[in-house]
Amino acid sequence: MSRSSYDVIVVGARCAGSPTAMLLARAGYRVLVVDRATFPSDTISTHLVHPPGVAALRRWGLLDRITATGCPPIGTYSLDVGPFTIVGSPGTAETPVAYAPRRTVLDKILVDAAAEAGAEVREGFTVTDVVVSDGRVTGIRGRGRAGATVAEHARVVVGADGVRSLVAQAVRPDRYHDKPRLQCSYYTYFSGLPTDGRFEVYLRPDRGRGFGVIPTNDDLTLVIGGWRYTEFEANKADIEGNYLRIFDLVPPFAERIRAARREARLVGTAVPNFFRTPFGPGWALVGDAGYTKDFITAQGITDAFRDAELCTTALHQALSGTVPSTTRWPATGPPGTGTSFRCTSSPRSSRSSSRRRPSWRTCSRRCTATPTR
């Protein structure tokens, strides 16, 4: 069993992990990022990167790589609720559009950027355990594609490994603002279904149904549709049929999609809604590992980018010994996450807890300095 030492190990190399590793490596830290997947590879996702996320890609110097793939810009959002439709532009003068790249495209760009920044990237690496010494996370154990078990050690381990985070399972952070699964949604891709640069949403609350239409790479359009999770058992025997029948609720769109060609199998899931305490002695959580919510607002990628920047700033201040008082999350979590979470979950479930999420200023002290949990 080998042993190395890093400043930071990041577990998970998709849209939260790779930016975290990239930004830390650019700041001069020795970073290892591991993922059991190899890239390019796909994962279930709504794809959409809202303008704040696009602005992050521009700050990181990666937006040109996204546009070079032919991913179409999305300049208009449209919300059709039946009696009326709301249409508007999602961005600002500096960042006027959104993009919805395939995850085979986006994640590969992010992984490559982390490697180019100087992070060591290990694809096809399965983490089997988190190393804890005297109440503090000090590293990971796992095996690569060759099968040899290795132990790697670091001052901080960042879990960017999704809603079923192994890092979170190991450190067992408090979980709060807990909501049940609210909807189950499924999607596939169609050709011959142009959207003219629009992200289209159709909601029929009286029927408990809705769907979204998002242009992506290769002249394809992602169409995602779903229903209340309470109907999962009743509908699971014919998921595809129920998915296709949603479009009949909007006859003009039903005509459009009947003229299109389906290009992939149907995939989908349902997710819980919760926050986890995002840091502790020797560890931190970013992306869905720390904050997961229903994907009806398609905020996951944008929030992951924001998490990566906030976590990186806090860790840089802690690892370098400079912790200004201005670096913190507001009481509800990262900027915007409280609003997003309430919009996603509160209207359809019980009232949220008043629990406040710790600030990243606290993280920059506690994550690297506290000797015991």
Side-chain angles (χ1 to χ4, degrees), residues 93-229:
E94 294 76 20
T95 309
V97 298
Y99 289 91
R102 292 287 299 267
R103 293 298 296 272
T104 50
V105 171
L106 175 64
D107 294 357
K108 175 62 172 170
I109 288 172
L110 296 174
V111 169
D112 288 349
E116 292 165 11
E120 180 182 342
V121 178
R122 295 188 197 173
E123 302 179 31
F125 185 95
T126 301
V127 176
T128 57
D129 194 15
V130 173
V131 180
V132 180
S133 301
D134 297 325
R136 179 184 181 80
V137 172
T138 59
I140 62 171
R141 293 189 185 91
R143 58 180 179 273
R145 283 171 285 189
T149 299
V150 298
E152 306 292 5
H153 291 258
R155 298 165 68 183
V156 177
V157 172
V158 175
D161 47 343
V163 61
R164 297 179 182 86
S165 169
L166 183 142
V167 176
Q169 291 174 27
V171 301
R172 293 159 54 176
D174 289 343
R175 179 165 147 165
Y176 56 99
H177 291 328
D178 218 329
K179 305 288 185 181
R181 289 172 172 82
L182 300 173
Q183 70 168 349
C184 37
S185 294
Y186 303 88
Y187 69 84
T188 185
Y189 302 91
F190 291 83
S191 60
L193 186 63
T195 69
D196 298 323
R198 295 163 69 99
F199 166 38
E200 305 174 19
V201 178
Y202 299 86
L203 299 180
R204 296 296 182 266
D206 58 324
R207 303 293 295 275
R209 299 288 189 274
F211 62 93
V213 186
I214 311 173
T216 186
N217 294 90
D218 304 319
D219 294 321
L220 296 178
T221 299
L222 180 152
V223 182
I224 181 169
W227 44 84
R228 298 185 184 100
Y229 189 71

Side-chain angles (χ1 to χ4, degrees), residues 241-264:
N242 281 286
Y243 168 83
L244 294 172
R245 282 189 286 273
I246 294 174
F247 309 129
D248 294 334
L249 298 175
V250 185
F253 183 82
E255 292 184 14
R256 287 170 58 194
I257 201 165
R258 278 195 292 268
R261 175 177 174 176
R262 181 171 153 184
E263 301 289 354

Side-chain angles (χ1 to χ4, degrees), residues 29-102:
Y29 295 102
R30 189 176 182 213
V31 181
L32 169 66
V33 56
V34 302
D35 201 296
R36 64 183 178 182
T38 58
F39 299 91
S41 60
D42 214 347
T43 188
I44 292 177
S45 172
T46 53
H47 296 25
L48 194 62
V49 184
H50 294 287
V54 174
L57 289 169
R58 177 179 286 113
R59 285 193 297 273
W60 303 340
L62 302 180
L63 182 56
D64 287 347
R65 301 188 190 187
I66 299 295
T67 59
T69 69
C71 186
I74 301 171
T76 303
Y77 286 13
S78 169
L79 174 61
D80 179 327
V81 295
F84 59 89
T85 301
I86 301 172
V87 179
S89 299
T92 64
E94 294 76 20
T95 309
V97 298
Y99 289 91
R102 292 287 299 267

